[in-house]
Amino acid sequence: MNQGNIDIAETSLHFKDTSIIIAKLYDCSIAEHIGSIISKASEHFVYITKGLTEMPYEIFVPVFEDKKPNAFDLETDQKNYFHYWGLYFENDMQHDVIVYNLNTRQLRKEDFFLLE
């Protein structure tokens, strides 16, 4: 018998034109927020798709703003799925990475790095 907890580290939802990749923030965070993440994706669809003109091939949830000199130290208030998302767009032969701010509904071309 297993006495430990089982959790999801990352999950991918694959749709016809895009995938949503959700990373774990804390124990059971994906299971707790997956419904709200899908709802937010629907609510922000017009903005995420640049006014319905371009579909990102991947949406990475969440992305954090680096406010500290050591990027490996996340502040507790940043452990939130609903501030920034990373969007990957195919633009001719290159891939554009854009950060979407859910609060201001703005897209910004930014560099971001995936930390494990």
Side-chain angles (χ1 to χ4, degrees):
M1 182 179 216
N2 184 359
Q3 297 299 322
N5 291 331
I6 297 175
D7 198 5
I8 302 167
E10 182 177 278
T11 192
S12 302
L13 305 171
H14 300 280
F15 302 99
K16 182 178 177 183
D17 296 327
T18 194
S19 295
I20 300 176
I21 313 302
I22 306 168
K24 174 183 171 178
L25 294 178
Y26 52 84
D27 289 346
C28 300
S29 64
I30 293 175
E32 183 179 324
H33 292 285
I34 194 164
S36 297
I37 292 168
I38 293 169
S39 179
K40 285 288 184 187
S42 175
E43 179 184 326
H44 291 259
F45 186 75
V46 170
Y47 305 102
I48 290 171
T49 59
K50 299 179 180 180
L52 303 176
T53 63
E54 199 173 344
M55 176 67 81
Y57 67 87
E58 187 174 283
I59 301 169
F60 188 84
V61 179
V63 172
F64 299 111
E65 185 176 13
D66 182 13
K67 294 180 180 180
K68 293 180 142 194
N70 184 355
F72 297 103
D73 296 330
L74 290 178
E75 296 177 18
T76 54
D77 68 326
Q78 284 194 349
K79 291 201 173 208
N80 187 318
Y81 285 111
F82 307 107
H83 288 300
Y84 301 102
W85 291 359
L87 309 177
Y88 293 87
F89 290 93
E90 222 170 304
N91 186 1
D92 296 324
M93 298 302 279
Q94 65 183 18
H95 300 279
D96 287 336
V97 180
I98 295 178
V99 174
Y100 177 66
N101 182 328
L102 278 80
N103 296 319
T104 64
R105 297 181 174 173
Q106 292 180 328
L107 298 166
R108 290 190 328 209
K109 195 165 188 170
E110 299 280 342
D111 291 329
F112 67 88
F113 303 97
L114 299 177
L115 302 175
E116 301 228 4

